[in-house]
């Protein structure tokens, strides 16, 4: 997948609407692509703001993925 495909799938990725295989493809791209990681984190923040009321519990795997993204960001500096 290239950046364009990633960006097109991102909102579905964040909404957990993609097949697991597609998620993995996106995640492996994110490992190598700082720009797309920035977009994901920005988009996530926006989505979080929209969802603030009445704050449903974040599913565990979303949290795991979020932490993975945060870790990746830290490593690359
Ligand atoms: Zn990219």
């Amino acid at each position: 997948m290239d950046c364009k495909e990633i960006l097109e799938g991102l909102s579905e990725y964040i909404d957990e609407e993609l097949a697991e295989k597609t998620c993995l493809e996106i995640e492996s791209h994110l490992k190598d692509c700082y720009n797309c990681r920035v977009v994901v984190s920005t988009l996530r923040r926006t989505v979080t703001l929209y969802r603030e009321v009445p704050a449903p519990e974040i599913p565990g795997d979303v949290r795991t993925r979020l932490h993975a993204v945060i870790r990746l960001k830290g490593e690359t500096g």
Side-chain angles (χ1 to χ4, degrees):
M1 288 177 114
D2 62 19
C3 290
K4 189 170 167 289
E5 288 175 286
I6 298 292
L7 295 176
E8 280 170 358
L10 273 190
S11 68
E12 283 159 325
Y13 169 68
I14 286 171
D15 286 340
E16 304 276 300
E17 281 168 8
L18 292 178
E20 175 132 354
K21 185 175 168 289
T22 314
C23 285
L24 291 175
E25 282 173 20
I26 289 182
E27 279 162 11
S28 91
H29 178 92
L30 292 178
K31 277 182 196 159
D32 296 326
C33 185
Y34 175 75
N35 286 336
C36 286
R37 282 208 299 278
V38 171
V39 175
V40 168
S41 68
T42 306
L43 214 64
R44 276 218 162 102
R45 229 172 290 145
T46 311
V47 168
T48 306
L49 288 178
Y50 277 120
R51 286 179 179 165
E52 220 163 64
V53 264
E57 281 234 310
I58 300 173
D61 66 327
V62 175
R63 212 151 21 199
T64 307
R65 246 176 246 160
L66 199 61
H67 288 168
V69 171
I70 291 167
R71 264 203 310 278
L72 285 174
K73 244 183 121 174
E75 276 167 18
T76 320

